Amino acid sequence: MMFPLLYLAVQKLAYSSIFLFVWLAGMSTEKSESANNDPTSASSKSAATKTTLITSSSLKGVDVSKWQKEVDWDQVKGADVTFAFVKATQDDYRLDPYFGRNWEETKRVGIKRGAYHFFIPAAPVQGQIDLFINTVQLEPGDMPPVLDVEVIEKHTSGEELRRNMHIWLEAVTQHYGVKPIIYTNQNYYRRWLQGHFQDYHFWIARYNTAEPEIHHEDKWVFWQYTDTGRLPGVKAPIDLNFFAGDWNTLNMLCVPPKLTPYSEQLILAELEQLEVAR
């Protein structure tokens, strides 16, 4: 049993190191942030010249849904795309009709894949949990599940929204053994989410040359920087993303390999061998 426990401890340490990486990177850019966070203001435009985590060697990715229809994933792979998030479900009843195809094709061509659920605050949260986990089968090496939160219902309070989000996130963590990522846009994050989900990584949509701006205790790892991208193999406009880290850092976020449980007999046999060796 000590071997599985050691492995889990290493996984926890690796996950914590991602938090440290993103926090330090955020600290390096925080000093140059504009006092005014309005992305349309002149001061915000000047912030676009600040040091960024994104370089020419940063990992590039896409996210797709039914709006892109049938994607030629061989061509997308050839365009230096490293990862792809695929829409799986929405509400407590709606499946994306292209999820199955996109899920299998990204695996076939060797693009690291992840699945996301479009959250509807007014829909029954348990139904949204059940729909996602009954639709998406994650494998070791897949990216974590994503909770896409970008709408608010007229009669839903911020407190109720966040409470139901926590229910979804915790249930999905328990099911897959890996913490989900929260996707949202910059303005929605500021109004409803900042400072409330410090145990989770964020994927922020900000269509600007300046990287996402977040609460100093939050961490973003993915940045959706445009929704009008063009790629070979995709006929419609497509969302383009950066990952704030290298390949090894991305792998540390992903679903870990399955452990082979040690039987009691095997453990006792190993202990006996250690005694004989003494």
Side-chain angles (χ1 to χ4, degrees):
M1 185 176 182
M2 58 183 172
F3 298 102
L5 289 175
L6 178 61
Y7 178 84
L8 290 174
V10 172
Q11 285 289 321
K12 186 175 181 65
L13 180 61
Y15 192 83
S16 298
S17 71
I18 300 173
F19 281 140
L20 180 61
F21 166 80
V22 178
W23 181 79
L24 289 173
M27 289 294 290
S28 69
T29 59
E30 190 174 89
K31 293 180 181 179
S32 61
E33 290 289 345
S34 167
N36 188 338
N37 288 339
D38 183 353
T40 63
S41 69
S43 59
S44 179
K45 290 178 182 178
S46 67
T49 62
K50 68 187 176 68
T51 303
T52 178
L53 299 176
I54 304 305
T55 68
S56 59
S57 61
S58 296
L59 302 183
K60 304 172 185 65
V62 298
D63 55 279
V64 296
S65 66
K66 66 179 182 179
W67 302 112
Q68 283 72 42
K69 298 185 178 180
E70 290 197 4
V71 174
D72 185 331
W73 286 102
D74 289 289
Q75 291 192 54
V76 173
K77 174 71 173 179
D80 199 28
V81 168
T82 301
F83 61 89
F85 288 106
V86 179
K87 184 177 181 180
T89 53
Q90 178 175 327
D91 211 314
D92 63 345
Y93 67 93
R94 185 178 299 175
L95 304 178
D96 189 282
Y98 288 89
F99 170 70
R101 182 182 189 278
N102 288 329
W103 193 242
E104 293 304 318
E105 284 290 286
T106 46
K107 178 181 179 181
R108 179 184 66 79
V109 302
I111 292 177
K112 189 169 284 293
R113 64 186 184 175
Y116 72 90
H117 171 75
F118 191 96
F119 192 70
I120 302 298
V125 65
Q126 188 60 50
Q128 299 192 72
I129 293 167
D130 293 341
L131 180 64
F132 186 81
I133 65 177
N134 289 330
T135 300
V136 178
Q137 304 298 317
L138 293 181
E139 299 178 1
D142 289 338
M143 292 188 292
V146 173
L147 183 61
D148 179 341
V149 189
E150 52 187 291
V151 298
I152 188 71
E153 311 293 345
K154 184 176 181 180
H155 301 295
T156 301
S157 66
E159 182 179 355
E160 183 180 1
L161 165 70
R162 292 186 290 269
R163 181 172 62 250
N164 286 336
M165 285 177 62
H166 273 293
I167 292 171
W168 193 98
L169 292 164
E170 290 166 8
V172 170
T173 298
Q174 183 176 11
H175 180 80
Y176 293 108
V178 63
K179 283 190 175 183
I181 296 166
I182 301 171
Y183 168 90
T184 193
N185 62 66
Q186 181 73 77
N187 291 333
Y188 193 100
Y189 164 81
R190 286 196 192 111
R191 182 170 183 183
W192 302 107
L193 307 181
Q194 66 176 340
H196 292 282
F197 294 90
Q198 296 168 12
D199 291 335
Y200 297 91
H201 291 114
F202 279 92
W203 168 18
I204 302 288
R206 189 185 194 196
Y207 307 145
N208 196 311
T209 54
E211 66 195 33
E213 298 173 0
I214 62 171
H215 187 275
H216 68 279
E217 293 183 347
D218 290 337
K219 306 96 182 168
W220 71 265
V221 287
F222 292 98
W223 171 19
Q224 185 184 95
Y225 62 93
T226 183
D227 62 348
T228 58
R230 290 288 180 176
L231 284 178
V234 187
K235 296 179 180 179
I238 190 169
D239 299 335
L240 300 179
N241 305 270
F242 281 125
F243 173 68
D246 59 17
W247 181 253
N248 289 333
T249 310
L250 180 59
N251 277 323
M252 285 193 293
L253 271 176
C254 294
V255 178
K258 293 182 179 179
L259 297 175
T260 302
Y262 268 57
S263 67
E264 184 178 352
Q265 292 81 2
L266 183 57
I267 294 172
L268 291 174
E270 288 185 353
L271 290 174
E272 289 177 1
Q273 290 179 4
L274 289 173
E275 286 294 328
V276 171
R278 289 180 184 176

